Amino acid sequence: MTRYSIDPERHELIATWGTGEGGLATRIGVLPAGTGTSVLLGLARALTQLSEAAWRTYTHPASAASSQDPNSEGWRRSEERKAFDEVPLAITRPNLPQNGMLDVSYSPLVESAHRAGRALHTLDDRELTDAVLAETATELAAVENAELGDLTGRARQAVLLSREGASPVQVAAADRLLEQNPFGPAALLTEIDPTAAAVAAAHWLAAAAEVTAEATGHSPTTLLLEADNSEALPHETPTLVLELLEAGISPYDAVTGLVRHALHIADGLLPDPAGLREQLEDLDDDLAEHTGPDTDPEDTGLRLTPLDPRRPARDLLEDLLTGIHACQLLHEEYDDPDEEDADADEAEDRNDEQAEQHQGHGRERFAHLVRETATRHRDRLT
């Protein structure tokens, strides 16, 4: 989201937001001279809350809710998204105290706009009000562009957010990047919505696991645990995704389901009480079998979600790309080299440059096989 601040030296209202490559800032307008700090900070706070509420309609879209019935979560999300049109009027004609009473909107977005409007009413500066109106229009347009899969301009901040859904445009863009480089080019982390990138990465991990399973004889769902024996890696989450795909769940549903679960945990909700009961039963067994007076409490902790709830989509994406890398390392161990490479392997005087060339050849061969497999199963992404 965009954060709004007061520059006390220049006496200006400024906006800052993050991108995949760093933070950006812009000047919104000059503040009236001689104004108290409290009302200025109130304006900045209200605009920050407005941005947070607007971007929540992006990260928690109505389409991701289980029901759209009246008064359901999906219905409330839909109503909040429709409230974008009410923002300009709330800023220019805010609810003001009447006889000691104040009407407060149920919509976090609209109420934030009213708070900003009340601060502007106190400041009574037409140029500043016009600047804030233009700024909020820019911010809301950024959310709308992100919904359409256009992460340019102000909408670039979406690459730092975790979303319960994924734009087909962004999934397709991520798929094209992975086709160029199945190991995950830098642009995948800086230009693409992380949930959409993770959907595409799950598809490419499945292709990498299939190629590696053919070379090693291991099943796709045990590969990463095998690779962990050679190089420590976060194998639990990529393995879980592979198990979901093997069970017939699509990459989209597997990824968005995990991200949604983590976001609910972050919101303080318990999305799967039955699953938690099973976890607690397993934890009781582990405690009885493995704990003692010298046991570290952190070693017996219970994770409510396999993802980092502060950044679940990005965490999942990073783990899936690590899974592809692990498949490549395991594939190199088992893959039969061609005659030229075999001779090179057997030569005792092979130098480091030849070793690097051999490793590069194996990496390119693996990437070629993964591309073929991913293309053959492209229907997984539709």
Side-chain angles (χ1 to χ4, degrees):
M1 66 179 189
T2 298
R3 296 183 180 276
Y4 297 86
S5 305
I6 302 302
D7 183 337
E9 298 295 328
R10 296 177 179 272
H11 215 57
E12 293 175 344
L13 175 66
I14 60 174
T16 61
W17 62 94
T19 72
E21 298 177 287
L24 295 172
T26 189
R27 170 184 173 276
I28 306 303
V30 177
L31 299 169
T35 306
T37 302
S38 179
V39 66
L40 298 178
L41 291 177
L43 173 61
R45 182 172 61 252
L47 291 174
T48 298
Q49 292 168 341
L50 188 154
S51 174
E52 182 179 12
W55 280 104
R56 186 175 174 83
T57 69
Y58 172 77
T59 58
H60 296 68
S63 58
S66 58
S67 173
Q68 306 294 323
D69 293 338
N71 297 317
S72 67
E73 176 64 19
W75 178 84
R76 284 189 288 270
R77 292 182 182 186
S78 178
E79 291 299 301
E80 183 74 343
R81 179 60 182 82
K82 293 176 184 176
F84 276 32
D85 293 338
E86 300 179 40
V87 168
L89 182 60
I91 289 175
T92 54
R93 297 179 61 185
N95 292 335
L96 299 174
Q98 299 288 337
N99 300 319
M101 304 292 288
L102 179 67
D103 288 338
V104 176
S105 173
Y106 283 110
S107 163
L109 176 71
V110 175
E111 180 55 28
S112 296
H114 279 292
R115 290 173 182 170
R118 285 192 286 272
L120 290 168
H121 176 79
T122 300
L123 294 170
D124 193 22
D125 186 305
R126 186 65 221 179
E127 289 187 4
L128 180 60
T129 298
D130 290 343
V132 168
L133 282 171
E135 167 59 23
T136 54
T138 298
E139 187 71 5
L140 297 181
V143 177
E144 294 170 344
N145 289 340
E147 290 171 337
L148 297 173
D150 177 8
L151 303 192
T152 57
R154 183 75 67 90
R156 289 179 63 189
Q157 61 188 292
V159 304
L160 302 177
L161 303 175
S162 293
R163 193 183 191 214
E164 291 186 12
S167 159
V169 174
Q170 284 285 296
V171 173
D175 182 53
R176 289 192 295 271
L177 288 172
L178 284 163
E179 187 171 20
Q180 297 170 16
N181 179 0
F183 303 102
L188 197 67
L189 300 172
T190 60
E191 299 177 9
I192 304 295
D193 175 285
T195 302
V199 171
H203 166 62
W204 283 83
L205 173 60
E210 181 177 333
V211 168
T212 307
E214 292 176 359
T216 64
H218 295 288
S219 71
T221 55
T222 62
L223 285 171
L224 300 182
L225 184 59
E226 179 70 19
D228 184 58
N229 293 328
S230 301
E231 178 179 316
L233 55 93
H235 59 84
E236 293 92 348
T237 303
T239 297
L240 174 59
V241 170
L242 289 172
E243 290 172 347
L244 292 172
L245 298 184
E246 188 175 74
I249 298 175
S250 69
Y252 181 93
D253 288 339
V255 166
T256 57
L258 287 171
V259 172
R260 184 180 306 116
H261 184 276
L263 288 174
H264 286 184
I265 295 294
D267 286 340
L269 302 175
L270 185 60
D272 185 13
L276 178 61
R277 183 184 296 275
E278 293 180 5
Q279 284 183 276
L280 291 173
E281 291 173 353
D282 292 341
L283 181 62
D284 285 340
D285 294 338
D286 290 341
L287 288 173
E289 183 176 355
H290 300 293
T291 59
D294 298 326
T295 302
D296 186 343
E298 291 186 2
D299 294 337
T300 58
L302 176 65
R303 293 201 65 179
L304 297 178
T305 168
L307 305 178
D308 183 345
R310 296 165 298 183
R311 53 192 291 278
R314 183 63 174 263
D315 186 34
L316 177 56
L317 173 60
E318 291 170 353
D319 285 355
L320 295 176
L321 294 178
T322 300
I324 295 174
H325 170 71
C327 286
Q328 184 258 325
L329 293 179
L330 199 58
H331 185 270
E332 276 194 12
E333 290 183 20
Y334 285 82
D335 191 34
D336 291 330
D338 57 31
E339 183 177 349
E340 179 181 350
D341 287 328
D343 290 341
D345 283 337
E346 295 170 2
E348 294 182 359
D349 60 346
R350 186 177 66 184
N351 58 31
D352 291 341
E353 183 178 350
Q354 288 174 314
E356 291 178 4
Q357 290 175 349
H358 175 69
Q359 185 178 21
H361 175 77
R363 184 179 174 89
E364 283 304 313
R365 169 175 161 76
F366 176 78
H368 172 71
L369 293 173
V370 171
R371 286 190 185 96
E372 287 185 337
T373 305
T375 300
R376 189 165 64 250
H377 297 298
R378 185 80 64 188
D379 59 313
R380 277 193 296 236
L381 284 176
T382 58

